[in-house]
Amino acid sequence: MPPSENEKVILQHGCAEAEALLKLIAGCLGVDLALLKESVELSCIKRAGFVDVYAHTRNLGNEAELLLQVVGKERLVAMGVHIGRINGRYIPMLGFLSLLRRIGIKPKRGYVRLTEGGVKHFLYGRDVWGESISEVARPTENCRGLVAVLNEKGEPVGWGRLQENHDHILVQNLVDLGWYLRSGV
Amino acid sequence: MYKPRTDEGVNASLQENFAYIMERWKSAVGRLQEVARTLSVHEHQLVRYAELFRSTEELARFLLVDERNIMKTIRVNTLLTGKDELKLRLSSKGVKVEDYRYLDYGLVVTSSPYPIGALHEYLLGLFTIQGPASMLVVPALRPEDFPRGRIIDMCAGAGIKTTQIAQHAPRSRIVAVDVNRRKLLALKNNAGRMAVFNVVTVHTDARLLPSFYRGKADAVLLDAPCSGEGLLPFPRARRPRTFKDILSRVALQLELLKAGLDLLRDGGVLVYATCSLSVEENEYVITSVLEAADNVEIEDLSIPGLPGVQRYGLLQLDPRVSRCRRLYPHIHGTEGFTICRLAKTRR
Ligand SMILES: C[S@@+](CC[C@H](N)C(=O)[O-])C[C@H]1O[C@@H](n2cnc3c(N)ncnc32)[C@H](O)[C@@H]1O
């Protein structure tokens, strides 16, 4: 749905919500927050009820702010890569994984590694469990089971939620790279 | 400064030219009518292309190129991987690729057990699917000459070329614009998938940009909306185009090109490209702009292709258009494309 011309959109460069999202997710994965912050700047696009967080190169924030004063903020589609959304909860997007890959950072915790078959299954949008999971590195408590889902080479292919019950482990599919094909745009 | 021609002026000279071409080739193309019908090619296209090639034999060769003769190419995303690494990964999956002779980070897929766009390497953003001629447009712009500059992609669509600009200039500020919001959502996805962090994407008409960016861009890509006649070898893209269809494209192309040149700072460059081989949509558009602007020059290109066309019916085309490059399906094994590089000279 295209946003209406009257919808109130706020573009904020270097906003506190974005910092909080980056800090939380970096903590869940045990990755170096300082390195992430050095590599990109963050901006928020705020609309009624939610905030979208974008990571982008330096100077792009100023560029967008200047441009949007003329064409109107509702005309902004994206700036850099969409890394997360905040709607009361902190939701990491596929773009967060692209950020890790572009900088060359691998999670130290908060991940599961899947077998080749497990990855295929997961990329169809399905949950995975049992022998499809070859390694589990649990996230910290406050992450509510959020894990980066990795392929055999250690490349992230999506986000999942780890659910453990006695000796049974299930990774619920939150979002996977197959979405790029399924989204229909 | 650019002084736009009136629409009537455009129409009159092109219409007069078309009448001449029709008269000249109508009977000669008669024997190709049957083939043209099966290929959904309009008679107007037959005569225009007969005039372009000045030979009905070459016209027939052009019409009969099969899509299997066009190289199937992918572009390596050098922001995330290297060509050799990707080749190894693809070959371990039984996908056979060869180096693409015209571009060092392009690959030609010769066979694949799977649809290329469903491979995990695609989802991981290690490559994108892009036509062999389309891939040469961004190298013609040489974004690497503006490593921290402002680069405007006026008709960015799904961002296939926008993400390629980012490969050449990952620290530049790329402003990507299109009138089609849905395509820009695809651009957003492509930028995410390919880890491109230096694009701001805005839904607007590129003709409005000079009101804000006049004289402020280092480089501009105008991958103009066009008839798409260069995609003739692909049955899915075939549809008959009358001369009137071409005229309506030319009017928009002239406006977009005028706006694009207004965006450039002195010394800035603009690449004008279309997936069309129509002289009306290319050399004619460029000639019209050169006639009206004394501070625009056409630059030589170091990409493959035949020189731009200087003679086409009665049209007086600027001889400098020979510096443009044309890629033909039946000669280069690519989709048809025309690419020109313009520079705003320093005063
Ligand atoms: C040839 S396609 C661009 C393909 C794109 N550059 C790519 O590589 O993926 C031309 C685009 O021009 C857009 N367009 C048409 N008129 C326009 C205008 N006035 N301003 C901006 N974009 C326009 C169309 O929506 C279309 O996406």
Side-chain angles (χ1 to χ4, degrees):
Chain A
M1 269 281 284
S4 86
E5 302 287 315
N6 312 325
E7 188 190 354
K8 195 162 156 51
V9 181
I10 299 169
L11 169 67
Q12 212 174 25
H13 187 41
C15 57
E17 293 94 326
E19 295 278 330
L21 179 122
L22 195 72
K23 192 169 168 206
L24 177 77
I25 308 297
C28 292
L29 304 184
V31 299
D32 185 350
L33 180 64
L35 182 56
L36 285 175
K37 281 176 146 180
E38 247 168 53
S39 312
V40 282
E41 279 183 358
L42 302 176
S43 289
C44 292
I45 301 178
K46 300 184 177 178
R47 296 196 163 94
F50 62 92
V51 178
D52 280 317
V53 179
Y54 286 83
H56 50 80
T57 45
R58 287 178 204 288
N59 286 334
L60 205 68
N62 295 340
E63 185 77 34
E65 263 172 32
L66 285 172
L67 173 61
L68 297 178
Q69 279 169 18
V70 185
V71 296
K73 293 199 171 71
E74 70 288 344
R75 300 237 154 221
L76 178 65
V77 176
M79 46 191 306
V81 173
H82 190 195
I83 62 161
R85 175 169 284 184
I86 305 164
N87 61 0
R89 288 187 181 174
Y90 291 92
I91 306 166
M93 297 286 183
L94 290 172
F96 201 105
L97 303 173
S98 297
L99 175 60
L100 298 182
R101 294 185 47 235
R102 178 77 188 272
I103 312 173
I105 305 183
K106 296 214 160 157
K108 293 202 183 69
R109 59 172 176 257
Y111 68 84
V112 294
R113 196 186 291 262
L114 304 185
T115 60
E116 196 183 335
V119 171
K120 274 192 190 146
H121 206 70
F122 185 74
L123 288 178
Y124 278 114
R126 301 187 187 129
D127 299 342
V128 281
W129 60 86
E131 289 181 354
S132 295
I133 304 169
S134 55
E135 187 187 344
V136 177
R138 290 174 181 76
T140 45
E141 274 298 276
N142 59 334
C143 301
R144 304 172 61 248
L146 179 75
V147 284
V149 179
L150 312 183
N151 65 13
E152 285 177 307
K153 290 189 163 72
E155 296 159 327
V157 295
W159 291 103
R161 190 166 311 285
L162 195 61
Q163 295 178 356
E164 297 185 81
N165 192 342
H166 304 297
D167 56 353
H168 184 77
I169 295 181
L170 175 125
V171 178
Q172 183 197 349
N173 183 316
L174 297 178
V175 63
D176 65 89
L177 294 179
W179 178 84
Y180 286 128
L181 299 180
R182 298 192 299 270
S183 74
V185 289
Chain B
M1 266 331 288
Y2 178 84
K3 295 176 242 76
R5 284 178 158 201
T6 61
D7 264 8
E8 298 76 62
V10 170
N11 286 347
S13 54
L14 284 181
Q15 248 151 12
E16 188 192 349
N17 190 55
F18 179 66
Y20 167 82
I21 290 171
M22 194 69 174
E23 182 69 30
R24 182 166 176 197
W25 291 100
K26 195 173 165 52
S27 62
V29 298
R31 69 183 178 85
L32 293 173
Q33 295 280 17
E34 196 51 47
V35 181
R37 247 191 305 281
T38 20
L39 296 176
S40 303
V41 171
H42 196 275
E43 183 189 32
H44 291 179
Q45 291 173 288
L46 279 186
V47 293
R48 286 174 38 244
Y49 280 88
E51 175 65 21
L52 171 66
F53 296 124
R54 290 167 188 270
S55 131
T56 48
E57 281 71 37
E58 185 165 2
L59 171 61
R61 276 205 299 285
F62 168 69
L63 288 176
L64 294 171
V65 178
D66 186 277
E67 81 176 302
R68 281 167 298 194
N69 297 120
I70 309 298
M71 289 177 271
K72 281 192 188 57
T73 42
I74 58 175
R75 189 184 93 228
V76 181
N77 181 10
T78 48
L79 297 171
L80 291 177
T81 188
K83 184 171 77 174
D84 292 336
E85 194 185 326
L86 182 65
K87 276 164 91 173
L88 275 178
R89 286 182 74 144
L90 294 178
S91 106
S92 74
K93 296 196 163 168
V95 180
K96 295 206 173 79
V97 293
E98 287 169 3
D99 287 348
Y100 174 39
R101 61 180 179 275
Y102 297 148
L103 188 69
D104 61 1
Y105 56 94
L107 289 172
V108 181
V109 180
T110 53
S111 76
S112 171
Y114 319 99
I116 269 305
L119 287 170
H120 292 181
E121 284 71 15
Y122 174 81
L123 297 177
L124 284 162
L126 303 182
F127 71 84
T128 200
I129 301 168
Q130 187 174 13
S134 158
M135 240 188 252
L136 302 176
V137 173
V138 169
L141 186 66
R142 295 202 305 271
E144 60 276 21
D145 292 348
F146 313 99
R148 298 205 172 250
R150 178 183 286 125
I151 303 177
I152 301 181
D153 188 354
M154 292 176 76
C155 295
I160 300 301
K161 297 183 189 72
T162 321
T163 51
Q164 190 178 8
I165 295 173
Q167 285 181 232
H168 284 247
R171 298 260 142 219
S172 63
R173 284 161 289 149
I174 304 172
V175 178
V177 163
D178 203 285
V179 278
N180 183 327
R181 192 177 170 92
R182 198 174 157 76
K183 285 193 183 181
L184 292 178
L185 293 175
L187 190 160
K188 178 181 170 184
N189 285 351
N190 277 325
R193 186 175 61 83
M194 300 186 77
V196 167
F197 288 88
N198 58 327
V199 180
V200 49
T201 306
V202 178
H203 176 218
T204 192
D205 187 321
R207 288 171 291 184
L208 302 175
L209 289 175
S211 66
F212 176 60
Y213 274 134
R214 185 178 302 274
K216 289 187 179 155
D218 297 290
V220 170
L221 176 60
L222 174 49
D223 188 23
C226 69
S227 64
E229 281 184 338
L231 306 177
L232 213 65
F234 301 96
R236 66 185 144 78
R238 267 185 218 141
R239 92 192 117 75
R241 274 133 183 136
T242 63
F243 180 64
K244 225 172 138 199
D245 295 333
I246 304 291
L247 273 187
S248 72
R249 296 286 86 183
V250 172
L252 177 59
Q253 287 155 350
L254 280 167
E255 287 178 12
L256 285 165
L257 183 54
K258 173 194 174 314
L261 291 170
D262 283 348
L263 295 174
L264 288 183
R265 63 158 167 83
D266 290 350
V269 294
L270 178 148
V271 163
Y272 176 85
T274 67
C275 58
S276 168
L277 293 163
S278 131
V279 178
E280 293 87 344
E281 294 180 89
N282 291 291
E283 287 85 347
Y284 173 80
V285 168
I286 301 287
T287 294
S288 303
V289 166
L290 289 181
E291 265 175 19
D294 52 11
N295 60 339
V296 178
E297 193 44 273
I298 308 185
E299 295 200 325
D300 284 318
L301 282 172
S302 53
I303 56 169
L306 297 188
V309 169
Q310 295 178 53
R311 277 179 58 205
Y312 180 69
L314 302 171
L315 289 182
Q316 302 279 319
L317 296 167
D318 190 308
R320 291 173 290 175
V321 294
S322 64
R323 297 178 195 154
C324 301
R325 284 290 166 265
R326 302 184 137 252
L327 288 117
Y328 290 97
H330 62 299
I331 299 173
H332 301 99
T334 66
E335 74 280 35
F337 242 94
T338 308
I339 306 173
C340 301
R341 179 179 160 104
L342 307 178
K344 204 175 218 178
T345 50
R346 289 174 210 278
R347 287 181 189 273

